[in-house]
Amino acid sequence: MPEVVVLAGLALLGTVPVVALGAVVLRATRSRSLTTSTVVLVLIPVLAALAGFTAVTRLMFDEVFTQLVVVLAVVLAVAVPAAIVLGRAQARATVWERQIREQERAAEESRRELVAWVSHDLRTPLAGIRAMAESLADGVVAEPADIERYALQIVRETNRLAAMVDDLFDMSKISSGTLRLTLEPLDLREIVDDVLAAQQPTASRAGVDLRARQPNTPVLVVGSDRSLARVLTNLVGNALAHTPPGGVVEVGVGVTDGRALLGVTDTGPGIAPADLPRVFEVGYRGSAARSPSAGATSGSGMGLAIASGLVAMHAGDISARNTGGGARFEISLPLLAPG
């Protein structure tokens, strides 16, 4: 029994310093990669076993000691590469899980903002509609001209509510992946012509010069006519809402590096740097620096998010940046090869 106690004491004498040193190294490398920490964790027990056995044998390097060293060397030769591979895999999984959590937090924050904005925007027109309807029902408004004015205002507010509900429905389909598009060869110039013709009355009322800059040759892509028109309508409407009277909104079409480009540039106040990374988030409306011009109606806060989702469904990219004299939204789409 005393011999066993002596052996245990010698083993502790050899292993404890190694484990303590390993803990120090592990603490010093905790800010580094997960792979490094995994390798250190593999080395600690192996080297501790070697140190404990060395202390027990009292530095008697006999045949048994040599055999142990060979076994531990083989263990290290197998365990260290495995630790590196597993550490890298775990690091990738950890990074992926962290990104997923961050995306979930961002999505939850966007949903809360969306609910707050939509609740506010729904409440305002509903209150107006209720007040005007009660006035009509109670006979407070009796003059034909006033009745017509109230009725037209109710129609406008109802159309605004319907548009917001449509945006919510479309955004939910895009987010859930249930939206299905019918893709066909399209000339982007035709979409620009149609959208600008529809938006020209709005631009005229706002005192904004709405113009197009297009090449003489077709710019062909594969896409949904309705969806791409919706994207461009949202971008042009957003630009018109933030461009003061006397300003310019230009829609440009071109080809760069085998990609079709569609850009909308305005001469408004631009986008605050803090808002640029979030302009395509659902419900995000940015700071007061990018507030709509006087007379412009506030949207649902989903126009740019819907545009981003539809562009992604066309295997395209959408971006926003400041130009020094306004803002520019740019869409890049795969160009349809001739023939």
Side-chain angles (χ1 to χ4, degrees):
M1 190 66 181
E3 185 179 355
V4 173
V5 173
V6 172
L7 291 177
L10 291 174
L12 285 174
L13 185 63
T15 57
V16 169
V18 175
V19 173
L21 179 61
V24 172
V25 174
L26 191 61
R27 182 179 179 84
T29 58
R30 62 180 178 178
S31 59
R32 298 189 179 182
S33 67
L34 185 60
T35 303
T36 302
S37 299
T38 306
V39 172
V40 173
L41 288 173
V42 169
L43 290 175
I44 288 175
V46 176
L47 296 180
L50 178 62
F53 190 79
T54 303
V56 169
T57 58
R58 299 172 183 173
L59 300 179
M60 294 177 62
F61 303 120
D62 55 8
E63 184 179 352
V64 175
F65 183 84
T66 303
Q67 292 174 351
L68 177 65
V69 170
V70 171
V71 170
L72 292 179
V74 172
V75 170
L76 286 177
V78 174
V80 170
I84 294 174
V85 173
L86 294 176
R88 289 176 177 175
Q90 184 62 35
R92 286 194 296 268
T94 302
V95 171
W96 179 78
E97 290 173 358
R98 185 185 302 116
Q99 292 174 345
I100 292 297
R101 288 194 297 269
E102 292 174 353
Q103 291 174 0
E104 290 177 349
R105 284 195 295 267
E108 182 61 28
E109 182 180 354
S110 296
R111 281 191 291 268
R112 287 196 298 267
E113 291 179 354
L114 175 62
V115 170
W117 280 110
V118 171
S119 299
H120 174 270
D121 285 352
L122 288 175
R123 189 180 299 114
T124 301
L126 282 174
I129 291 174
R130 181 185 297 112
M132 288 182 288
E134 290 175 351
S135 298
L136 291 172
D138 295 341
V140 176
V141 179
E143 295 295 328
D146 291 336
I147 293 175
E148 181 181 2
R149 178 166 59 85
Y150 272 48
L152 290 176
Q153 184 63 27
I154 289 175
V155 170
R156 283 194 292 269
E157 294 297 334
T158 304
N159 289 337
R160 179 183 170 192
L161 288 174
M164 293 176 64
V165 172
D166 289 342
D167 283 350
L168 280 170
F169 184 61
D170 290 342
M171 194 69 248
S172 66
K173 289 195 296 184
I174 292 172
S175 300
S176 63
T178 59
L179 183 63
R180 297 293 179 263
L181 302 180
T182 301
L183 305 181
E184 58 184 354
L186 300 171
D187 186 355
L188 284 182
R189 300 179 306 166
E190 296 179 0
I191 295 176
V192 171
D193 290 339
D194 292 342
V195 171
L196 263 62
Q199 293 292 316
Q200 198 62 57
T202 303
S204 299
R205 288 194 301 269
V208 176
D209 181 13
L210 179 60
R211 62 180 69 162
R213 177 175 49 83
Q214 306 190 72
N216 296 324
T217 56
V219 179
L220 299 178
V221 299
V222 176
S224 166
D225 187 2
R226 179 178 176 275
S227 297
L228 289 179
R230 174 76 179 277
V231 171
L232 185 57
T233 298
N234 288 357
L235 295 183
V236 172
N238 181 73
L240 291 175
H242 296 95
T243 301
V248 176
V249 172
E250 182 179 84
V251 180
V253 178
V255 176
T256 302
D257 297 330
R259 304 274 293 183
L261 297 182
L262 180 61
V264 178
T265 307
D266 64 57
T267 56
I271 305 172
D275 296 335
L276 275 174
R278 301 191 62 189
V279 291
F280 297 109
E281 292 183 10
V282 178
Y284 190 74
R285 303 191 183 186
S287 62
R290 187 69 175 170
S291 58
S293 303
T297 58
S298 176
S300 64
M302 289 177 284
L304 294 179
I306 291 174
S308 177
L310 291 175
V311 169
M313 295 182 68
H314 287 79
D317 301 308
I318 186 170
S319 61
R321 60 182 173 87
N322 289 317
T323 61
R328 176 176 174 82
F329 288 83
E330 191 169 85
I331 299 169
S332 172
L333 296 170
L335 190 66
L336 178 62

